[in-house]
Coordinates of all heavy atoms in Angstrom, one line a residue:
M1426 N 5.9 -3.5 26.1 CA 6.3 -4.7 25.2 C 7.5 -5.4 25.8 O 8.4 -4.8 26.4 CB 6.7 -4.3 23.8 CG 6.6 -5.4 22.7 SD 7.2 -4.8 21.2 CE 5.7 -4.0 20.6
R1427 N 7.6 -6.7 25.7 CA 8.6 -7.6 26.4 C 9.3 -8.4 25.3 O 8.7 -8.7 24.3 CB 8.0 -8.5 27.4 CG 7.5 -7.7 28.6 CD 8.7 -7.4 29.5 NE 8.2 -6.3 30.5 CZ 9.2 -5.5 31.0 NH1 10.4 -5.6 30.8 NH2 8.8 -4.5 31.8
C1428 N 10.6 -8.9 25.6 CA 11.2 -9.8 24.6 C 10.4 -11.0 24.5 O 9.9 -11.6 25.4 CB 12.6 -10.1 25.3 SG 13.4 -11.5 24.4
H1429 N 10.2 -11.5 23.3 CA 9.3 -12.6 23.0 C 9.9 -13.9 23.5 O 9.2 -14.9 23.6 CB 9.0 -12.7 21.5 CG 10.1 -13.3 20.7 ND1 10.0 -14.6 20.2 CD2 11.3 -12.9 20.3 CE1 11.1 -14.9 19.6 NE2 11.9 -13.9 19.6
K1430 N 11.2 -13.9 23.8 CA 11.8 -15.2 24.3 C 11.8 -15.3 25.8 O 11.4 -16.2 26.4 CB 13.2 -15.3 23.7 CG 13.3 -15.8 22.3 CD 14.7 -16.0 22.0 CE 14.8 -16.7 20.6 NZ 16.2 -16.8 20.2
C1431 N 12.4 -14.2 26.5 CA 12.7 -14.2 27.9 C 11.9 -13.3 28.7 O 12.1 -13.2 29.9 CB 14.2 -14.1 28.1 SG 14.8 -12.5 27.9
R1432 N 11.1 -12.5 28.1 CA 10.3 -11.4 28.7 C 11.2 -10.3 29.3 O 10.7 -9.6 30.2 CB 9.5 -12.1 29.9 CG 8.5 -13.2 29.4 CD 7.3 -12.7 28.7 NE 6.9 -13.5 27.6 CZ 6.2 -13.2 26.6 NH1 5.7 -11.9 26.5 NH2 5.8 -14.0 25.6
G1433 N 12.4 -10.2 28.8 CA 13.2 -9.1 29.3 C 13.0 -7.8 28.6 O 12.1 -7.8 27.8
E1434 N 13.7 -6.9 29.0 CA 13.6 -5.5 28.5 C 14.1 -5.5 27.0 O 15.2 -5.8 26.8 CB 14.5 -4.6 29.3 CG 14.3 -3.1 29.1 CD 12.8 -2.7 29.5 OE1 12.3 -3.1 30.5 OE2 12.2 -1.8 28.8
P1435 N 13.2 -5.2 26.1 CA 13.6 -5.2 24.6 C 14.5 -4.1 24.3 O 14.4 -3.0 24.8 CB 12.3 -5.2 23.9 CG 11.4 -4.5 24.8 CD 11.9 -4.8 26.2
I1436 N 15.4 -4.4 23.4 CA 16.2 -3.3 22.8 C 15.8 -2.9 21.4 O 16.3 -1.9 20.9 CB 17.8 -3.7 22.7 CG1 18.0 -5.0 21.9 CG2 18.4 -3.9 24.1 CD1 19.4 -5.3 21.5
G1437 N 14.9 -3.6 20.9 CA 14.4 -3.3 19.6 C 13.5 -4.4 19.0 O 13.1 -5.3 19.7
I1438 N 13.2 -4.2 17.7 CA 12.2 -5.0 17.1 C 12.8 -5.8 15.9 O 13.6 -5.2 15.2 CB 11.1 -4.1 16.4 CG1 10.4 -3.3 17.5 CG2 10.0 -5.0 15.7 CD1 9.6 -4.0 18.5
C1439 N 12.6 -7.1 15.8 CA 13.2 -7.9 14.8 C 12.8 -7.2 13.4 O 11.6 -6.9 13.2 CB 12.6 -9.3 14.9 SG 13.1 -10.3 13.4
Q1440 N 13.8 -7.1 12.5 CA 13.5 -6.5 11.2 C 12.7 -7.4 10.3 O 12.2 -6.9 9.3 CB 14.8 -6.2 10.6 CG 15.7 -5.1 11.3 CD 15.0 -3.8 11.2 OE1 14.8 -3.2 10.1 NE2 14.7 -3.2 12.4
F1441 N 12.5 -8.6 10.7 CA 11.9 -9.6 9.8 C 10.5 -9.9 10.2 O 9.6 -10.1 9.3 CB 12.8 -10.8 9.7 CG 14.2 -10.5 9.3 CD1 15.1 -10.4 10.3 CD2 14.6 -10.3 8.0 CE1 16.5 -10.1 10.0 CE2 15.9 -10.0 7.6 CZ 16.9 -9.9 8.6
C1442 N 10.2 -10.1 11.4 CA 8.9 -10.6 11.8 C 8.3 -9.6 12.8 O 7.0 -9.7 13.1 CB 8.9 -12.0 12.5 SG 9.8 -12.0 14.2
G1443 N 9.0 -8.6 13.4 CA 8.4 -7.5 14.1 C 8.3 -7.9 15.6 O 7.7 -7.1 16.4
R1444 N 8.8 -8.9 16.1 CA 8.8 -9.3 17.5 C 9.8 -8.5 18.2 O 10.9 -8.2 17.7 CB 9.0 -10.8 17.7 CG 7.8 -11.6 17.4 CD 8.0 -13.1 17.6 NE 8.8 -13.7 16.5 CZ 8.7 -15.0 16.2 NH1 8.0 -15.8 16.9 NH2 9.4 -15.5 15.2
A1445 N 9.6 -8.2 19.5 CA 10.6 -7.5 20.4 C 11.6 -8.4 20.8 O 11.3 -9.6 21.2 CB 9.8 -6.9 21.5
V1446 N 12.9 -8.0 20.8 CA 14.0 -8.8 21.3 C 14.9 -8.1 22.3 O 15.0 -6.8 22.1 CB 14.8 -9.4 20.2 CG1 14.2 -10.7 19.7 CG2 15.1 -8.5 19.1
C1447 N 15.4 -8.7 23.2 CA 16.3 -8.0 24.2 C 17.8 -8.2 23.8 O 18.1 -9.0 22.8 CB 16.1 -8.6 25.6 SG 16.7 -10.3 25.8
E1448 N 18.7 -7.6 24.6 CA 20.1 -7.7 24.3 C 20.6 -9.1 24.2 O 21.4 -9.5 23.4 CB 20.8 -7.0 25.5 CG 22.3 -6.9 25.4 CD 22.8 -5.6 24.8 OE1 22.3 -4.5 25.4 OE2 23.5 -5.5 23.8
R1449 N 20.1 -10.0 25.1 CA 20.6 -11.4 25.1 C 20.1 -12.2 24.0 O 20.8 -13.1 23.5 CB 20.2 -12.0 26.4 CG 21.3 -11.9 27.6 CD 20.9 -12.7 28.7 NE 19.5 -12.5 29.2 CZ 18.8 -13.5 29.8 NH1 19.3 -14.7 30.0 NH2 17.6 -13.2 30.1
C1450 N 18.9 -12.0 23.5 CA 18.3 -12.9 22.7 C 18.4 -12.6 21.1 O 18.2 -13.4 20.3 CB 16.8 -13.1 22.9 SG 16.5 -13.6 24.6
H1451 N 18.8 -11.3 20.8 CA 18.8 -10.9 19.5 C 20.1 -11.5 18.8 O 21.1 -11.8 19.5 CB 18.7 -9.5 19.3 CG 20.0 -8.7 19.4 ND1 20.7 -8.5 20.5 CD2 20.8 -8.1 18.4 CE1 21.8 -7.9 20.3 NE2 21.9 -7.7 19.0
G1452 N 20.0 -11.5 17.5 CA 21.3 -11.8 16.7 C 21.3 -11.0 15.5 O 20.3 -10.6 15.0
P1453 N 22.5 -10.7 14.9 CA 22.6 -10.0 13.7 C 22.4 -10.9 12.5 O 22.8 -12.1 12.5 CB 24.1 -9.5 13.7 CG 24.8 -10.5 14.5 CD 23.8 -11.1 15.5
L1454 N 21.7 -10.4 11.5 CA 21.5 -11.2 10.3 C 21.6 -10.2 9.0 O 20.9 -9.1 9.3 CB 20.2 -11.9 10.3 CG 20.0 -13.0 9.3 CD1 20.7 -14.3 9.7 CD2 18.5 -13.3 9.3
P1455 N 22.2 -10.4 8.0 CA 22.1 -9.5 6.9 C 20.7 -9.4 6.4 O 20.0 -10.4 6.3 CB 23.0 -10.2 5.8 CG 23.9 -11.2 6.6 CD 23.1 -11.6 7.8
F1456 N 20.3 -8.2 6.1 CA 19.0 -7.9 5.8 C 18.9 -7.2 4.4 O 19.5 -6.1 4.3 CB 18.3 -6.9 6.9 CG 16.9 -6.5 6.5 CD1 16.0 -7.4 6.2 CD2 16.6 -5.1 6.7 CE1 14.7 -7.0 5.9 CE2 15.2 -4.8 6.4 CZ 14.3 -5.7 6.0
I1457 N 18.4 -7.9 3.4 CA 18.4 -7.3 2.0 C 17.3 -6.3 1.9 O 16.1 -6.7 2.0 CB 18.3 -8.5 1.0 CG1 19.5 -9.4 1.1 CG2 18.1 -7.8 -0.4 CD1 19.4 -10.6 0.1
L1458 N 17.6 -5.1 1.8 CA 16.6 -4.0 1.7 C 16.0 -4.1 0.3 O 14.7 -4.0 0.1 CB 17.2 -2.6 1.9 CG 17.6 -2.3 3.3 CD1 18.3 -0.9 3.3 CD2 16.4 -2.2 4.2
T1459 N 16.9 -4.1 -0.7 CA 16.3 -4.1 -2.0 C 17.4 -4.7 -3.0 O 18.5 -4.7 -2.7 CB 16.0 -2.6 -2.5 OG1 15.4 -2.7 -3.8 CG2 17.1 -1.7 -2.5
I1460 N 17.0 -5.1 -4.2 CA 17.9 -5.5 -5.3 C 17.7 -4.7 -6.5 O 16.5 -4.5 -6.9 CB 17.6 -7.0 -5.5 CG1 18.0 -7.8 -4.3 CG2 18.5 -7.5 -6.7 CD1 17.7 -9.3 -4.4
F1461 N 18.7 -4.2 -7.0 CA 18.6 -3.4 -8.2 C 19.6 -3.9 -9.3 O 20.6 -4.5 -8.9 CB 18.8 -1.9 -8.0 CG 20.1 -1.5 -7.5 CD1 21.1 -1.0 -8.4 CD2 20.4 -1.6 -6.1 CE1 22.3 -0.7 -8.0 CE2 21.7 -1.2 -5.7 CZ 22.7 -0.8 -6.6
V1462 N 19.3 -3.5 -10.5 CA 20.4 -3.9 -11.6 C 21.1 -2.7 -12.0 O 20.4 -1.6 -12.4 CB 19.6 -4.5 -12.8 CG1 20.6 -4.8 -13.9 CG2 18.8 -5.8 -12.3
G1463 N 22.4 -2.7 -11.9 CA 23.2 -1.6 -12.2 C 23.4 -1.3 -13.7 O 22.9 -2.2 -14.5
K1464 N 24.2 -0.4 -14.1 CA 24.4 0.0 -15.5 C 25.2 -1.2 -16.2 O 25.1 -1.4 -17.4 CB 25.3 1.2 -15.6 CG 24.6 2.5 -15.2 CD 25.4 3.7 -15.6 CE 24.7 5.0 -15.2 NZ 25.5 5.7 -14.2
D1465 N 26.0 -2.0 -15.4 CA 26.6 -3.1 -16.0 C 25.8 -4.4 -16.1 O 26.3 -5.4 -16.3 CB 27.9 -3.4 -15.2 CG 27.6 -3.5 -13.7 OD1 26.4 -3.6 -13.3 OD2 28.5 -3.6 -12.9
Q1466 N 24.4 -4.2 -15.8 CA 23.5 -5.3 -15.9 C 23.6 -6.5 -14.8 O 23.1 -7.5 -14.9 CB 23.5 -6.0 -17.2 CG 23.2 -5.0 -18.4 CD 21.8 -4.4 -18.3 OE1 20.8 -5.1 -18.1 NE2 21.7 -3.1 -18.2
I1467 N 24.5 -6.1 -13.8 CA 24.7 -7.1 -12.8 C 23.8 -6.7 -11.6 O 23.9 -5.6 -11.1 CB 26.2 -7.1 -12.3 CG1 27.1 -7.6 -13.5 CG2 26.4 -8.1 -11.1 CD1 28.5 -7.4 -13.2
P1468 N 22.9 -7.6 -11.2 CA 22.0 -7.3 -10.0 C 22.8 -7.1 -8.7 O 23.8 -7.8 -8.5 CB 21.2 -8.6 -9.9 CG 21.3 -9.3 -11.1 CD 22.6 -9.0 -11.7
K1469 N 22.5 -6.1 -8.0 CA 23.2 -5.8 -6.7 C 22.2 -5.7 -5.6 O 21.0 -5.3 -5.8 CB 23.9 -4.5 -6.8 CG 25.0 -4.5 -7.9 CD 25.6 -3.1 -7.9 CE 26.8 -3.1 -8.9 NZ 26.3 -3.2 -10.3
A1470 N 22.5 -6.2 -4.5 CA 21.7 -6.1 -3.3 C 22.1 -5.0 -2.3 O 23.3 -4.8 -2.1 CB 21.6 -7.4 -2.6
V1471 N 21.2 -4.2 -1.9 CA 21.4 -3.3 -0.8 C 21.1 -4.0 0.5 O 20.0 -4.4 0.8 CB 20.5 -2.0 -0.9 CG1 20.8 -1.0 0.2 CG2 20.8 -1.3 -2.3
V1472 N 22.2 -4.2 1.4 CA 22.1 -4.9 2.6 C 22.4 -4.2 3.8 O 23.4 -3.4 3.8 CB 23.0 -6.2 2.4 CG1 23.1 -7.0 3.7 CG2 22.7 -7.0 1.1
V1473 N 21.6 -4.4 4.8 CA 22.0 -3.9 6.1 C 22.7 -5.1 6.8 O 22.1 -6.2 7.1 CB 20.7 -3.5 7.0 CG1 21.2 -3.1 8.3 CG2 20.1 -2.4 6.2
A1474 N 24.0 -5.0 7.2 CA 24.8 -6.1 7.6 C 24.3 -6.7 8.9 O 24.3 -7.9 9.1 CB 26.3 -5.7 7.7
D1475 N 23.9 -5.8 9.8 CA 23.7 -6.3 11.2 C 22.2 -5.9 11.6 O 22.0 -5.3 12.6 CB 24.6 -5.7 12.2 CG 26.0 -6.4 12.1 OD1 26.0 -7.5 11.8 OD2 27.0 -5.7 12.3
A1476 N 21.3 -6.4 10.7 CA 19.9 -6.0 11.1 C 19.5 -6.8 12.4 O 20.0 -7.9 12.7 CB 19.0 -6.5 9.9
L1477 N 18.6 -6.2 13.2 CA 18.3 -6.8 14.4 C 17.4 -8.1 14.1 O 16.4 -7.9 13.3 CB 17.5 -5.8 15.3 CG 17.3 -6.2 16.7 CD1 18.5 -6.2 17.4 CD2 16.3 -5.2 17.3
W1478 N 17.7 -9.1 14.7 CA 17.0 -10.4 14.3 C 16.7 -11.1 15.6 O 17.5 -11.1 16.5 CB 17.9 -11.2 13.5 CG 17.4 -12.6 13.2 CD1 16.1 -12.9 12.7 CD2 18.0 -13.8 13.1 NE1 16.0 -14.2 12.5 CE2 17.1 -14.9 12.7 CE3 19.3 -14.3 13.5 CZ2 17.5 -16.2 12.7 CZ3 19.7 -15.6 13.4 CH2 18.7 -16.6 13.0
C1479 N 15.5 -11.7 15.7 CA 15.0 -12.3 17.0 C 15.6 -13.6 17.2 O 15.6 -14.2 18.3 CB 13.5 -12.3 16.9 SG 12.9 -13.5 15.7
G1480 N 16.2 -14.2 16.2 CA 16.8 -15.5 16.3 C 15.8 -16.7 16.1 O 16.1 -17.8 16.2
A1481 N 14.5 -16.4 16.0 CA 13.5 -17.4 15.9 C 12.9 -17.5 14.6 O 12.6 -18.7 14.1 CB 12.4 -17.0 17.0
C1482 N 12.7 -16.5 13.9 CA 12.0 -16.6 12.6 C 13.0 -16.9 11.6 O 14.2 -16.8 11.8 CB 11.3 -15.2 12.2 SG 12.3 -13.8 12.1
R1483 N 12.6 -17.3 10.4 CA 13.5 -17.8 9.3 C 13.2 -16.9 8.1 O 12.4 -17.4 7.2 CB 13.3 -19.3 9.0 CG 13.9 -20.2 10.1 CD 15.4 -20.2 10.0 NE 15.9 -21.0 11.1 CZ 16.4 -20.4 12.2 NH1 16.3 -19.0 12.3 NH2 16.9 -21.1 13.2
P1484 N 13.8 -15.7 8.0 CA 13.4 -14.9 6.9 C 14.1 -15.4 5.6 O 15.1 -16.0 5.6 CB 14.1 -13.5 7.2 CG 15.1 -13.9 8.3 CD 14.6 -15.0 9.0
Q1485 N 13.3 -15.3 4.5 CA 13.9 -15.8 3.2 C 14.7 -14.7 2.6 O 14.5 -13.5 2.7 CB 12.7 -16.1 2.3 CG 11.7 -17.2 2.7 CD 12.5 -18.5 2.8 OE1 13.3 -18.9 2.0 NE2 12.1 -19.3 3.8
P1486 N 15.9 -15.1 2.1 CA 16.8 -14.1 1.5 C 16.3 -13.3 0.3 O 16.6 -12.2 0.0 CB 18.0 -14.9 1.1 CG 17.5 -16.3 0.9 CD 16.4 -16.4 1.8
E1487 N 15.2 -13.9 -0.4 CA 14.7 -13.3 -1.5 C 13.1 -13.5 -1.5 O 12.6 -14.5 -0.8 CB 15.1 -14.0 -2.8 CG 16.5 -13.7 -3.2 CD 17.1 -14.7 -4.3 OE1 16.3 -15.2 -5.0 OE2 18.3 -14.8 -4.4
P1488 N 12.4 -12.6 -2.1 CA 11.0 -12.8 -2.2 C 10.6 -14.2 -2.8 O 11.2 -14.6 -3.8 CB 10.4 -11.7 -3.1 CG 11.5 -10.7 -3.1 CD 12.8 -11.4 -2.9
L1489 N 9.6 -14.8 -2.2 CA 9.3 -16.1 -2.7 C 8.3 -16.0 -3.9 O 7.4 -15.2 -3.9 CB 8.6 -17.0 -1.6 CG 9.6 -17.4 -0.5 CD1 8.7 -18.0 0.6 CD2 10.6 -18.3 -0.9
P1490 N 8.5 -16.9 -4.9 CA 7.4 -16.9 -6.0 C 6.2 -17.5 -5.4 O 6.1 -18.4 -4.6 CB 8.1 -17.8 -7.0 CG 9.1 -18.6 -6.3 CD 9.6 -17.9 -5.1
M1491 N 5.0 -16.8 -5.9 CA 3.8 -17.4 -5.4 C 2.9 -17.7 -6.6 O 2.0 -16.9 -6.9 CB 3.1 -16.3 -4.5 CG 4.0 -16.0 -3.2 SD 3.2 -14.9 -2.1 CE 1.8 -15.7 -1.4
P1492 N 3.2 -18.8 -7.2 CA 2.3 -19.1 -8.4 C 0.9 -19.2 -8.3 O 0.2 -18.9 -9.2 CB 3.0 -20.5 -8.9 CG 3.7 -21.0 -7.7 CD 4.1 -19.8 -6.8
E1493 N 0.5 -19.6 -7.1 CA -1.0 -19.8 -6.8 C -1.7 -18.4 -6.9 O -2.9 -18.3 -7.0 CB -1.2 -20.4 -5.5 CG -0.8 -19.7 -4.3 CD 0.7 -20.0 -3.9 OE1 1.5 -20.4 -4.7 OE2 1.0 -19.7 -2.8
M1494 N -1.0 -17.2 -6.8 CA -1.5 -16.0 -6.8 C -1.8 -15.4 -8.2 O -2.4 -14.5 -8.4 CB -0.7 -15.0 -6.0 CG -0.5 -15.3 -4.5 SD -1.8 -14.7 -3.5 CE -1.5 -12.9 -3.5
A1495 N -1.0 -16.1 -9.1 CA -1.1 -15.6 -10.6 C -2.5 -15.7 -11.2 O -3.2 -16.7 -10.8 CB 0.0 -16.3 -11.3
Ligands
ZN792 ZN1 15.3 -12.0 25.6
ZN793 ZN1 12.0 -12.4 13.9

């Protein structure tokens, strides 16, 4: 597998879209693993601060509503 941008040696896989990225092309992006409501009723997000990101895809911060699926 090669970096999807420059065909270089990949250091990992984008957490959002699954493409391989190398040292030069990746970027850090907060990655929300899950959201839960605590005892105080305030929603909290469990976030990975520096998730590996390919820099190309545009992950949404929250799940998108899909009314057409209802
Ligand atoms: Zn690259
Ligand atoms: Zn990506």
